């Protein structure tokens, strides 16, 4: 049985993944090739393309911290959305116009929620990790804290971007969300299949011919407060392909962009009014000594930004995949569903109260 360690200083670089605590920061680099040369690395890849890899010397078993009062979240009414309900619905209609014109089959439309943190002395992202672990456990939960490098992230992601075991790579794209399985529509299944095809093509660029398979298609997974449709795509890396080639072939993740990816990215850039940052990017770990890795899609993810003056800001992203069959009201409600529980936890310490921060509604 592992023994819980004493709380770390909020300024101490650290990472938590898969029941392990990494400390003793040795280096930080933006070069993906470093992930091939040994050591345990925490990795965050912003949606806009900034890669940060941090190598730690000490990795030991350690459970998530307990939920304590070390976290003082934002006021529930202080959240602001980069797109309000009217703007988001208008964006859905605009994407449907692009689909009708044959420019794209699907595009993911996202918005970023932001709120000031009232007490800078109680904004330790590791304390937020404890609340998330207590109230919203997730298969790919994790934390990266690198204060001097502007990285303070706590994720409760349910979605696998890339896992690697030796030369085998695997992805678990999610498309289709509802409160219960009965809420899932034919549109959700069709959307999932489209993204699976995109992920197959992405992995096919770096995997040996004939090795890319789909072991699971549109499986229903239950998570706190909602259900998802999840598929699995895997393949065998070519001998000449490593992390540099993997990122080049597969990033950003197809489930949070759309298909075709290049057209979806162009549409996203035109419609979204705030950078996604680590949201919809990749967050996870690479153990180069063992040839193992697990990177989550950066959804259900909080991050802290600290401006030179003023209060630190907590951010959280939410979005939905838009297809021809999308209804603007339903898609807005899907973004609300994905955000409500987690934003309530960050604001109040429990999932029972959903913040109503203008102009979200």
């Amino acid at each position: 049985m592992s023994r819980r360690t004493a709380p770390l200083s909020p300024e101490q670089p650290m990472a938590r993944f898969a029941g392990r605590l990494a400390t003793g920061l040795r280096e930080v680099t933006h070069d993906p090739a470093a992930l091939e040369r040994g050591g345990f690395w925490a990795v965050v890849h912003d949606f806009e393309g900034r890669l940060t890899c941090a190598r730690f010397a000490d990795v030991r078993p350690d459970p998530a911290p307990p939920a304590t009062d070390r976290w003082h979240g934002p006021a529930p009414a202080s959240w602001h959305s980069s797109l309000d309900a009217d703007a988001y619905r208008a964006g859905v209609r605009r994407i449907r116009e692009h689909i009708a014109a044959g420019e794209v089959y699907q595009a993911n439309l996202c918005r970023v929620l932001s709120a000031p943190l009232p007490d800078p002395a109680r904004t330790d992202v590791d304390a937020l990790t404890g609340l998330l672990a207590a109230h919203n456990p997730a298969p790919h939960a994790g934390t990266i804290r690198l204060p001097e490098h502007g990285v303070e992230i706590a994720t409760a992601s349910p979605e696998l971007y890339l896992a690697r075991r030796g030369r085998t790579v695997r992805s678990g794209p999610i498309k289709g969300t509802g409160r219960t399985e009965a809420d899932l529509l034919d549109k959700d299944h069709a959307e999932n299949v489209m993204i699976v095809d995109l992920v197959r093509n992405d992995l096919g660029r770096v995997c040996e011919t004939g090795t890319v398979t789909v072991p699971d298609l549109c499986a229903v997974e239950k998570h706190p407060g909602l259900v998802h449709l999840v598929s699995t795509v895997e393949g065998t890396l070519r001998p000449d392909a490593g992390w540099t080639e993997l990122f080049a072939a597969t990033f950003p993740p197809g489930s949070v962009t759309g298909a075709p990816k290049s057209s979806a990215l162009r549409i996203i850039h035109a419609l979204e009014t705030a950078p996604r940052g680590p949201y919809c990017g990749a967050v996870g770990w690479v153990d180069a000594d063992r040839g193992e890795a697990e990177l989550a899609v950066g959804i259900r993810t909080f991050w802290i930004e600290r401006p030179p003056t003023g209060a630190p800001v907590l951010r959280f992203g939410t979005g939905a995949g838009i297809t021809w069959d999308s209804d603007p009201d339903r898609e807005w409600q899907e973004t609300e569903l994905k955000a409500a529980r987690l934003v309530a936890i960050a604001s109040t310490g429990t999932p029972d109260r959903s913040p109503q921060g203008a102009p979200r509604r």
Side-chain angles (χ1 to χ4, degrees):
M1 179 181 296
S2 62
R3 183 173 60 187
R4 191 181 303 277
T5 59
L8 304 173
S9 162
E11 292 77 34
Q12 182 176 348
M14 53 78 71
R16 287 187 189 275
F17 291 101
R20 293 176 292 179
L21 172 65
T23 56
L25 181 66
R26 288 295 177 264
E27 67 174 300
V28 174
T29 180
H30 306 292
D31 180 8
L35 301 176
E36 304 287 350
R37 58 176 169 80
F40 183 91
W41 298 82
V43 178
V44 57
H45 200 327
D46 283 0
F47 186 80
E48 287 74 29
R50 182 175 182 266
L51 175 69
T52 301
C53 308
R55 183 171 64 87
F56 291 91
D58 181 18
V59 183
R60 60 188 183 275
D62 192 70
T68 69
D69 61 0
R70 291 190 300 119
W71 174 260
H72 187 189
S78 67
W79 289 90
H80 170 85
S81 176
S82 59
L83 294 173
D84 64 16
D86 289 341
Y88 192 87
R89 294 183 187 111
V92 173
R93 290 190 288 269
R94 182 68 184 120
I95 290 172
R96 293 183 75 253
E97 292 174 359
H98 286 292
I99 294 170
E103 299 172 37
V104 70
Y105 300 111
Q106 187 246 57
N108 216 64
L109 183 62
C110 298
R111 56 195 180 98
V112 175
L113 309 180
S114 304
L117 289 165
D119 185 353
R122 294 168 66 191
T123 57
D124 179 7
V125 75
D126 196 34
L128 177 56
T129 297
L131 288 173
L132 296 176
H135 299 297
N136 201 95
H140 307 293
T143 308
I144 303 178
R145 186 175 67 199
L146 305 169
E148 293 187 1
H149 300 273
V151 175
E152 296 178 77
I153 296 171
T155 183
S157 177
E159 182 171 4
L160 177 66
Y161 164 45
L162 286 175
R164 184 173 171 183
R165 301 293 181 270
R167 306 305 297 175
T168 299
V169 291
R170 178 169 49 92
S171 184
I174 288 176
K175 274 299 164 196
T177 300
R179 293 186 184 276
T180 68
E181 186 174 350
D183 293 331
L184 298 171
L185 306 176
D186 289 343
K187 172 257 182 190
D188 297 306
H189 289 262
E191 187 180 356
N192 191 292
V193 171
M194 276 192 283
I195 296 305
V196 165
D197 192 49
L198 186 154
V199 173
R200 286 176 61 249
N201 289 337
D202 283 355
L203 286 180
R205 296 168 60 190
V206 287
C207 286
E208 295 180 356
T209 302
T211 66
V212 179
T213 61
V214 183
D216 291 297
L217 183 65
C218 293
V220 177
E221 282 190 4
K222 295 182 179 180
H223 297 272
L226 47 74
V227 298
H228 287 307
L229 286 178
V230 184
S231 296
T232 302
V233 185
E234 64 182 26
T236 303
L237 277 179
R238 297 195 314 263
D240 62 340
W243 283 108
T244 300
E245 292 76 17
L246 257 176
F247 285 138
T250 65
F251 194 86
S255 64
V256 290
T257 52
K261 188 182 288 188
S262 58
S263 298
L265 286 169
R266 174 177 53 80
I267 292 167
I268 287 168
H269 180 74
L271 293 177
E272 295 183 8
T273 58
R276 295 187 184 182
Y279 171 60
C280 292
V283 183
W285 58 271
V286 174
D287 188 333
D289 295 330
R290 297 186 178 185
E292 298 180 350
E294 188 174 284
L295 301 177
V297 179
I299 58 174
R300 316 295 195 273
T301 297
F302 292 95
W303 69 104
I304 298 173
E305 294 183 0
R306 298 183 187 271
T309 60
V313 177
L314 184 65
R315 302 197 192 279
F316 180 89
T318 185
I322 312 304
T323 68
W324 173 250
D325 292 328
S326 288
D327 173 76
D329 289 331
R330 178 183 170 89
E331 300 298 349
W332 168 260
Q333 290 302 323
E334 180 173 322
T335 70
E336 290 278 272
L337 173 63
K338 291 173 177 175
R341 180 183 181 91
L342 287 160
V343 171
I345 291 169
S347 294
T348 69
T350 77
D352 300 326
R353 293 173 56 195
S354 178
Q356 307 291 324
R360 290 181 61 207
R361 283 180 164 79

